[in-house]
Amino acid sequence: MTKTLALSFAAVAALACGASTADAQPESRTAIAVMAGAASGSSDTGVALGGSVLFDATERLAIEAAGAYLGRGEGADAFTLNGSLLVNLLPSTQRVVPYAAVGGGLYRVSFDLAHPRFLGPAGTQFSPGSTVCASPGTGFGRGQGAGFGAGTGTCPATAVGYWGVGAMPDFYARRLRPQAFPAGGSGWEKANFTDPALSLGGGIRFNLTDRVMVRPDVRALVIFADRKTHTLGVFTVNLGYRF
């Protein structure tokens, strides 16, 4: 993962430098923007809201820092924080500037396991405090059986049964630890995951005035953990002011 990011950043920097060695160094310009759009995974689409700071290092190369909230369907929320290099295919002083982007950062998602989409409500199926193992799909069962155990295949001998994870993506479900069955039907605890992420994409900068810009932007957010990946598509429109 680290090596991949390093090579990507190096390649983009080299492209930016070689694209126009004769470009004049413009006066440093920084833009602050608000963003809104949507994030879509294999089964869920939710809102994307956040902000970004863009610094024009040259007419061909910009540096971006961005953070956003990503809705991941009912019972799940995510946040992303990343930095990117933007390579302008035309000088940044043009009215319309297409660009390519590559970056990296962190992605954090939280699942409310008690939500019906995931583990759902707990009743009296097992004794309070007893251990159950996460299992693909829905439903529950006692003792060893089909689907018993988490996606990693690790389940302690003391487990009394298994419990389906519902719509939780396998990328996360296989990493769930054995769960203590909640007492009094009070529900399961939340599960949080924080992973590195690679951001790839591009967009178009519309310089409406010398100060105001609009940037439709499309990125593929590739999340890494345990040598596996999970990908989201993120589309946003950034409304920025330069100073």
Side-chain angles (χ1 to χ4, degrees):
M1 168 61 189
T2 303
K3 183 177 181 181
T4 301
L5 281 176
L7 290 175
S8 299
F9 278 111
V12 171
L15 177 61
C17 292
S20 179
T21 56
D23 281 343
Q25 176 81 16
E27 181 182 353
S28 296
R29 303 294 292 275
T30 302
I32 297 178
V34 293
M35 67 172 72
S40 180
S42 57
S43 59
D44 299 302
T45 298
V47 67
L49 298 171
S52 65
V53 177
L54 184 72
F55 174 73
D56 285 320
T58 72
E59 287 193 343
R60 294 285 184 168
L61 181 64
I63 302 171
E64 178 193 57
Y69 162 83
L70 306 179
R72 304 308 313 128
E74 293 185 47
D77 300 286
F79 296 89
T80 181
L81 182 66
N82 65 74
S84 299
L85 292 176
L86 276 57
V87 177
N88 298 323
L89 305 184
L90 293 174
S92 60
T93 51
Q94 298 292 311
R95 284 295 183 184
V96 179
V97 185
Y99 62 86
V102 59
L106 294 175
Y107 177 84
R108 179 178 175 82
V109 63
S110 177
F111 295 96
D112 179 3
L113 297 182
H115 193 279
R117 290 184 61 220
F118 306 121
L119 273 65
T124 58
Q125 296 91 336
F126 299 102
S127 299
S130 58
T131 300
V132 294
C133 289
S135 172
T138 59
F140 65 94
R142 293 183 177 276
Q144 296 288 343
F148 184 72
T152 58
T154 301
C155 190
T158 55
V160 297
Y162 61 89
W163 196 280
V165 298
M168 179 180 289
D170 181 67
F171 181 76
Y172 298 105
R174 63 185 175 79
R175 296 157 63 191
L176 275 181
R177 297 178 179 178
Q179 302 288 310
F181 194 77
S186 59
W188 314 90
E189 296 181 355
K190 287 190 174 183
N192 302 302
F193 302 89
T194 302
D195 302 306
L198 176 67
S199 175
L200 299 169
I204 302 176
R205 179 197 298 196
F206 295 94
N207 293 314
L208 302 182
T209 70
D210 188 48
R211 297 291 183 181
V212 180
M213 69 170 69
V214 174
R215 287 195 298 123
D217 186 282
V218 179
R219 306 284 178 99
L221 193 63
V222 185
I223 305 152
F224 295 81
D226 298 340
R227 299 185 180 181
K228 296 183 181 295
T229 62
H230 180 64
T231 303
L232 300 177
V234 182
F235 170 77
T236 59
V237 176
N238 294 254
L239 175 61
Y241 181 82
R242 295 188 295 185
F243 58 91

